[in-house]
Amino acid sequence: MAVVKLAADYAPEPCTGCRLCDIVCPSGAIRMVERKPVIAEDLCIGCGRCVDRCPEEIMWMKERAEPLKVTVTPEEAPAEEVLALLEKAGIDPTISVCVCTLTPASEVAGAVIKGAQNLEEVCAMTGLRSGCGIYCVAPALRLLEAAGRDMTPPKQHRWYPSALSLWDLDESVRARYPDAFIGEDQDAFDPEGRFHQTKEQQA
Amino acid sequence: MTATAALLPPAFMPSDYGPALRPHVSEQMDSFVSLPVRDLFPSFAPAITDGDEADRDKVRAETRAALAKVDMSRISADDTVNILASEHGFGLMGGWPYAEMIKTIREVVIERTGCRKVNLRLAIYRGFREADEVNHHFGFDEAFEGRVHGLGPFDQGVEVETAIGPMYLVKRAFDSTKFIHAYYDDPREMYFNRLLYKSFKSFCMSYARFETRSIYHSMFGNRSGSIIPRALFDSEFIQCRYAFSSVLCTTPVGVVGVDATTDLYAIDRRITRSHLETYGRMQRLFSEIKDCVAIWDGGRWGYYLHSGGLIFGTLLTNHSDSFDLDQPVVAGFMQVPGAPVNFSRNKSLRGIVVNQAWVGAGIPYVTMPFTTPMYIVGEEQAKLWREDSSNPMLMDRAKVVDSLQQGIAMACEKGQTDKLLVFDGSYGHLTCSQSLADHLLARAPEVDRVVGEQLLPKWLAQRGLS
C-alpha cells in the first residue's frame, strides 16, 4: 500500500504545452487537453516527477486534504490466481518489489489479476513508481507479460517491454560467462527448482 | 594518538535537491578530530590529492600521462565522439578531480586525433535539473564549447541486442559515431556490486533506461547481476562505437591516478585488486564499529556521502563481508528463501543526525527510518523530507531538532554511545569523535592482519585474481 500525501498541480500560464509532464507521469494521471495538462488527482501517486521535469517551473506538489491510500487488497484478487501468476513470472511472493512503498510482489500481481492492462494502471492501483520510479519496474512488467497483456511499448518512450530475469538464462549463457554466478544464484534463490531446473532436476 | 583537529571536507556543489549550504560539523563543533587513513593502514600509498583544489594540475598531469599510452586509432578526425560521464563522479572529493579528468580527455583527443566534435554527455539519476547544475558548477559548457547534454533513465531509449536478450540504453548517450567511457572507481555500493566487474556498471545504470536498471537491481542477485553490464558492453552496438576508457582511480586516501586503455577488462582487474586491498580493509574496519551515531554532512544523498573514502551505505551494511562471493546476498531484492537479509538495518548504528544532505529524491531508505532513530537539523530540511516521495514514511518517524548539537546529544543519549562518525565527503581521513578514533586505531592492526593473511587471498581467488 502506498500512502500518497501530495498531488501535482500547475498554473495554466505560461504553460507551453510541451507534454513533458505527461510523458514522465508513471500512473497516467496527466493527459493533455488543448495543449494543457489535465491532472486526474485520483490517479496522481505524488511522485513529483512532473514538477521536476517542467521546464517552465510552473508545477508544484500540494498537500492533499486527506492522504490517498492506494492499494489492492487480498480480497480483490483471488489468492490462488495471484500465486499462480507470480509462479509463472518467477517472482517470489514474499519479496517487496518496491523499496519506497514496500509494496509486496503479491499486491502487484493482485493489480494485474484485478485487471490492470499496462504499467500505468498497475502504478495507479498500487502506488508503484511513486518513489524512485525505477527499481520496481521490471517485476511489474514481467507480471504483465506473464498475464498475457499487450506489451507493445506506448508512445513517447514511457516504457519499453523489458523484463529479463535470472531464470531466463540457460546453459549457453552460463558457458559464455562462467564467472557470473548464474547457476550458483539460480540454485541459491530457488533451491526447490520452482523457477529453474536445478542440477538434480536436470539429472 | 595521531588524530588532529577536524579538517574541512572538500567544498561541494549546491543543488536544488538539498538544503541551502550550512556550516559543516567541523566548523560548528570543536570536539571532532580528523583521523588519517594512513595512520590506520600505513601500507596504503599516498594520494596525489584528497580533494584540495590546488592539486588540479596533478590530476591533469596524471590524465595526460595515462592517455599518452592509449591507442586512439579508433577515433578519426571525421568522427563525433561522446565522452560519457556519470554523476557519482561529481560526488568524489567535491567532484573537481573527475571534472578535470574529463576536460583533459577532451583536450588530448582533439590533439591526438584531430577530431573537433567532442561532446560531453552527463548521465544523471532521477533529478532532471541535476545535469544543468553539474554543467554550470564545473564549467563544462565553456570547456566543451557548448557541446554538452544531460541524459537520464527516463529519456528516449534504444534497444540493444545482447547475448542474454534485448535491453535498453539511453539513445542520447550514443548519438555519436564513437564514445569514451570516462569513469571513476569509487566502489560505492560494494554490498550490491560486490566488486564483480564494477568498472562496467555504468552500462546498465548511467547509460541505461530505467527498465534495464530495474533488471540489474531487481531480477538478479548481487553476483549474477554482474552479467548485465558486461553483456551490454560486449554487444555489437557498444563495441562498434567504443573508443577507450579512462578511469579516475582512488583508494580511501584519495585520488591515486588515472588508468586508461581500450581494454576495460584489464582496467577492471587492476582496480578490483587495488580495491580489495584498500577499501576491503576499510570495510572490515567499519565492521569493528559496534556502536556509533552517523552524521550526514555533505552535498549528495545520505547513502552516498563518504567518510574515509567509504560511503554511509557501507556502514549500514557492514553486517557481513561484502567481498566474500560464497555469500549469495549482502543486499538486494533477491533473497535466499528462509534467510532474508535486512540490508537497511545495522544494530551497531544507533542513530543518524542529518546536518545536511540531499533528500531521498529517488533514493529510498527502505526500513532504516523504522529501526534507526533519525534527527533532522532544522525545519528547512524537514520540509524537503516531508515532500520526498521516495520516503513517504520517513518524517513520521524522524525528529526535527533545532541544532546539530541538540541532534547529536539526543542521538547519543538514546543510542548510549559517544562514538560519532561524520560522512562529510572526506577522503584521506575520517572526521569522528575522539572515542571512535581511539577505537579504530586500536582495532586497525588486527583488521590489517586478518585481511592480509586470510580474507584478501580468498577474495582474490574468488575473482580469478590470485
Side-chain angles (χ1 to χ4, degrees), chain A residues 13-62:
Chain A
E13 299 299 337
C15 174
T16 61
C18 69
R19 289 197 81 157
L20 292 175
C21 55
D22 170 21
I23 293 169
V24 298
C25 177
S27 58
I30 300 178
R31 287 289 175 260
M32 302 301 289
V33 178
E34 296 179 348
R35 292 179 56 82
K36 299 289 182 195
V38 174
I39 302 169
E41 210 165 283
D42 58 326
L43 295 178
C44 175
I45 54 175
C47 71
R49 213 160 296 136
C50 54
V51 175
D52 195 28
R53 190 72 185 95
C54 177
E56 306 301 325
E57 301 190 18
I58 54 167
M59 300 194 75
W60 63 88
M61 300 305 290
K62 64 181 181 186

Side-chain angles (χ1 to χ4, degrees), chain A residues 5 46-47 51-53 57 99 130-132 134-135 138 142 157-160 162 164 166 177 179-180 185 189, chain B residues 17 126-129 154 157 164 197 209-211 214-215 217-219 223-224 230 234 362 364 389 392 396:
Chain A
K5 297 175 179 175
C47 71
V51 175
D52 195 28
R53 190 72 185 95
E57 301 190 18
V99 291
S130 59
C132 74
I134 290 179
Y135 301 120
R142 195 164 172 89
H157 54 270
R158 291 166 193 270
W159 53 267
Y160 295 103
S162 191
L164 184 73
L166 174 63
Y177 293 98
D179 57 350
D185 269 8
F189 300 131
Chain B
Y17 301 101
R126 186 179 182 269
F128 293 105
R129 294 156 204 237
F154 305 107
I164 59 174
Y197 297 97
R209 280 272 305 183
F210 62 82
E211 298 88 350
S214 179
I215 287 171
H217 269 298
S218 303
M219 307 305 277
R223 303 177 301 183
S224 51
R230 278 197 289 163
D234 292 342
S389 58
D396 293 347

Side-chain angles (χ1 to χ4, degrees), chain B residues 60 63 67 72 75 79-87 90 97-111 113 115-124 131 134-135 140 143-151 170-184 202-203 206-207 241-248 258 260:
Chain B
R60 297 180 73 83
T63 307
L67 292 176
M72 295 190 188
I75 299 173
D79 273 320
T80 304
V81 177
N82 281 358
I83 296 176
L84 300 185
S86 298
E87 67 173 321
F90 302 109
Y98 185 51
E100 287 304 312
M101 183 189 81
I102 290 166
K103 291 174 185 174
T104 308
I105 292 170
R106 175 186 178 272
E107 293 168 9
V108 174
V109 166
I110 290 173
E111 290 165 14
T113 69
C115 174
R116 297 285 316 176
K117 291 177 282 187
V118 181
N119 308 318
L120 176 61
R121 296 288 180 258
L122 293 166
I124 49 87
V134 169
N135 190 9
F140 284 128
F144 279 77
E145 298 173 349
R147 304 180 75 96
V148 183
H149 266 301
L151 58 95
V170 177
K171 191 172 183 180
R172 181 169 269 173
F174 303 100
D175 61 353
S176 59
T177 52
K178 294 291 185 309
F179 77 90
I180 296 162
H181 178 50
Y183 202 42
Y184 47 84
S202 295
F203 290 90
S206 298
Y207 315 154
R241 291 168 172 79
Y242 173 67
F244 65 87
S245 300
S246 178
V247 181
L248 186 77
V258 172

